[in-house]
Amino acid sequence: MSSTWFVYGTNPVIMSKFKAYLDRQQPLLVTEQLSASGNKSSLFVTIPCFDEPDLIRSLESLAVCSPPFCNVTVIVVVNSSDQTAPQLLLNNLKTIQSVLAWLDSGVRPFYQLRLLHAPELPSKWAGVGWARKIAMDEAIRCLDQSGLEEGILVGFDADCLVSGNYFTSIETAFRENPGYNFVTLNFSHPIDDPTLTNSLREGIIQYELYLRYLRNAMQWCGYPHSIHTVGSSFAVKASSYVKQGGMNRRQAGEDFHFLHKMVLLGEYGVVKDATVYPAARISHRVPFGTGAALKKWEQGDPELYSAYALKSFGALRPFFRNPGLLFDADRTTWKELIEQLDPVLQNHLELTETLNRLDELKKNCADMKMFTRRFYHLVNAFWIIQYLNLCESRDEGKGILVEEASKLLTKLELATSGDLNARDLLEIYRQLDITYSASSSS
């Protein structure tokens, strides 16, 4: 299992439709610790790995899944920056050795395992986004060299477990819905893990409840693309990946930005019958996200108890109710409609020059249907989060998570009995997300 070197973007074998994408990528030297045998995989699980002690557990979880019909490759990118501390570099080397030892012990997973090492990424960009991009771009290179015109790239993390139908459910989703550009997967943090401290258990319950409250509140206010954006719980069609320019190099939040960019392509769906189980643990790896939120929680930060007030989402409802009306209305009518909106929302519209941009959009749309579809490309999830952050500047812009989540259930006319705690609410929201369909052609 000797190391070899390859350089992205300079392979002369490139012959397929992925060539243009690969040629645009920055040349990057990466050591290959575990090489491929060329089995023409069309489904790739991509795993960024930095200072991860539990990678083998994740690989074992994938190995005991029911195999899909297609061939599978798991690509792990052990990565660090040119400024990473020596002890963390040593931990990465231990991770590499543990994988090699795992395979030398006689383990033969049904999938092919690729192990790449990117030890000196420039610190300005080094992080989970770039590592995820390296893995996904390598999957594109494999598809290209195999002569395959399509494949599935799956986002995963080195601290996750999965249900046994993980691969078969992903494969089925794309086979039965060939128009899907991507899917998100059901996820569930292990809140019943007996090794969790009471504090961590409470923190991860609050954190997951917040994620689910946010998605459902965005759906309730009328935004049609209210998806979960969890880096370990999505899969994207290879052609769609390259069409949208691939994964970004953000050091955190790469999943949010990537998936909401993928929304622009059109159809997508949710895999509800398979589940990813992300770890509930503190982490220094990213500046925000699960691990960072739990680290702050353990340090006494009460932020996980709070959430954007439901009132702020409610103020969006009249604006989202029928955006097509703006297509036929003149600017005088627009002004009359806007004056009826919440003052903070009016302020946000002005600060972001949204009306001017919508006016320009209107000039470039042939009909109301086109305008309505593109309206949500402009007034998107990023725009909504900016507005919600602006709402926090007023007294009622932020509330207690449990209270706001309970209010939303009332608005959704879901009957509940008595006062519900965070765990009770989380179980309700988990079921709510399973019954929700995020399929979209807009």
Side-chain angles (χ1 to χ4, degrees), residues 393-409:
S393 63
R394 65 180 178 182
D395 293 339
E396 299 177 347
K398 204 162 191 175
I400 298 173
L401 174 58
V402 169
E403 295 178 359
E404 301 305 316
S406 297
K407 291 176 186 176
L408 179 55
L409 294 181

Side-chain angles (χ1 to χ4, degrees), residues 325-431:
L325 292 176
L326 297 174
F327 183 76
D328 289 329
D330 55 28
R331 285 299 292 261
T332 300
T333 305
W334 281 23
K335 183 178 179 181
E336 293 173 353
L337 293 172
I338 297 306
E339 287 176 348
Q340 299 174 32
L341 299 176
D342 181 272
V344 178
L345 179 53
Q346 291 185 46
N347 187 24
H348 183 56
L349 289 167
E350 181 178 350
L351 290 172
T352 56
E353 299 185 351
T354 299
L355 296 184
N356 290 336
R357 297 167 71 189
L358 287 174
D359 195 27
E360 189 64 28
L361 175 64
K362 177 180 175 179
K363 296 174 183 177
N364 292 286
C365 291
D367 52 38
M368 183 185 296
K369 182 178 180 181
M370 180 183 292
F371 177 83
T372 301
R373 182 173 68 251
R374 294 184 179 178
F375 173 91
Y376 290 111
H377 293 179
L378 177 64
V379 183
N380 53 30
F382 307 100
W383 187 95
I384 295 173
I385 295 299
Q386 287 178 325
Y387 156 73
L388 293 172
N389 289 336
L390 185 62
C391 287
E392 286 188 327
S393 63
R394 65 180 178 182
D395 293 339
E396 299 177 347
K398 204 162 191 175
I400 298 173
L401 174 58
V402 169
E403 295 178 359
E404 301 305 316
S406 297
K407 291 176 186 176
L408 179 55
L409 294 181
T410 300
K411 293 292 186 181
L412 295 174
E413 299 182 351
L414 294 175
T416 58
S417 57
D419 293 331
L420 300 176
N421 60 33
R423 179 168 184 143
D424 294 333
L425 287 166
L426 176 56
E427 296 298 342
I428 294 173
Y429 273 86
R430 281 178 171 178
Q431 290 302 311

